[in-house]
Amino acid sequence: MGRGRRSVGAADSWPAEAPAIRAIATDPEHADTVYVGTQHGPYRSTDNGEHWEKVDVPDHGSPVWSLAFDPHDGKLLYAGYENCEIFRSDDGGEHWQQLRDVRFPEVTVAPGANPAKRVLKLAVNPANPDEVYGAIEVGGVIRSLDRGEHWQNMSHGST
């Protein structure tokens, strides 16, 4: 039986404006820990959604469109942002680093291209957690074979 809908009380740290939830991910090792991506960045609950806290990411306040955990390591979490940015946390969301080499000229910065592409979906290969995929708005698919350190365009010019 489900617990029903969760509400946010005054003591929680949601912004005054109700958040638009664009992504949700549950820690594979701790089911009571949930992350959501909003227009104000990521938030975390460690008590099944009873209380929420803003996650400290050096993201300039950009919207989060996708979240993905390594299915074998609840400490490893990815966040996909507007403007084709991807951040990774190796310690359960306490510290984050922006990953490099995510932009591709033919996808995000070619003449006439909109550089504000969103990373709409992230997925980690359960058989090989070094392999991470990202779906870029109108730009196709990108892949990393080293947990997001380097990326390659898998769309080969497709849009």
Side-chain angles (χ1 to χ4, degrees), residues 28-63:
E29 297 174 353
H30 302 96
D32 56 340
T33 300
V34 180
Y35 286 78
V36 294
T38 76
Q39 75 272 29
H40 302 292
Y43 283 77
R44 171 179 51 209
S45 172
T46 56
D47 59 5
N48 292 307
E50 292 290 336
H51 302 91
W52 294 90
E53 64 180 328
K54 176 98 169 73
V55 177
D56 187 23
V57 181
D59 59 13
H60 313 293
S62 298

Side-chain angles (χ1 to χ4, degrees), residues 81-98:
Y81 283 79
E82 202 164 283
N83 204 22
C84 206
E85 295 177 343
I86 300 173
F87 286 77
R88 183 183 70 209
S89 174
D90 297 318
D91 60 5
E94 294 303 316
H95 301 92
W96 294 81
Q97 67 178 13
Q98 184 175 359

Side-chain angles (χ1 to χ4, degrees), residues 2-15:
R3 292 181 177 220
R5 189 174 166 164
R6 301 276 179 205
S7 62
V8 178
D12 294 301
S13 61
W14 289 111

